[in-house]
Amino acid sequence: MNAAPVILTGHAGVGEVVEGLALVSPDGFSARYDLDRVTGRISRESHALYGASIAGKVLVCPLAKGGFATSWALFDLRSRGLAPVAMLFTWANPVMVQGAVLAGIALMDQLSPDPMEAIRTGDRVRVDPKAGRVEVIRRAQ
């Protein structure tokens, strides 16, 4: 028997409806400094997800980091087919939102309950940014 899905809600995000497996990090995310854009893997050795691929995942982090390079870094990643399908943050900066729009990646933040508490790596997650809704289906234990 499957558990009832967990629903997170918030203001409208950006992007289209997508679904994927969650990859949760206790560290923030910078598309410029934490990522190898050629492989799509986290490349900063001190990052909790070091070596993990974010391609096709729903990346869940407490905060978005980065400056102007974020937009082209995400766009470059998407052009290589290595981008996450969605990014969920406790809080995202406007530059990360701009990069997500340019790259066509769904993004939401300021959800309730906090995605850092409600989502675990390996959960299946359906993100509907325009509705301000995230559905989490727990992975089997």
Side-chain angles (χ1 to χ4, degrees), residues 14 67-72 74-75 87 92-105 107:
V14 299
F68 294 118
T70 299
S71 293
W72 64 259
L74 290 175
F75 185 79
M87 298 183 292
N93 63 27
V95 174
M96 185 66 79
V97 176
Q98 178 187 24
V101 170
L102 178 68
I105 300 169
L107 184 145

Side-chain angles (χ1 to χ4, degrees), residues 13-93:
V14 299
E16 300 300 320
V17 176
V18 293
E19 188 172 319
L21 295 179
L23 182 62
V24 180
S25 172
D27 294 338
F29 174 68
S30 166
R32 175 73 171 98
Y33 296 109
D34 293 337
L35 187 67
D36 180 332
R37 293 185 324 278
V38 175
T39 65
R41 294 186 179 279
I42 299 294
S43 59
R44 186 167 52 87
E45 292 183 11
S46 61
H47 197 283
L49 296 179
Y50 175 70
S53 172
I54 66 171
K57 301 287 190 332
V58 175
L59 182 63
V60 182
C61 297
L63 67 134
K65 304 182 299 184
F68 294 118
T70 299
S71 293
W72 64 259
L74 290 175
F75 185 79
D76 183 42
L77 192 67
R78 177 71 184 251
S79 72
R80 297 173 193 269
L82 298 172
V85 295
M87 298 183 292
L88 303 176
F89 296 100
T90 301
W91 183 84
N93 63 27

Side-chain angles (χ1 to χ4, degrees), residues 118-140:
I119 303 173
R120 292 181 236 147
T121 293
D123 288 343
R124 177 153 289 284
V125 180
R126 184 175 192 271
V127 180
D128 186 346
K130 292 176 184 158
R133 179 183 164 95
V134 174
E135 183 176 338
V136 182
I137 301 165
R138 292 273 180 234
R139 64 185 155 96

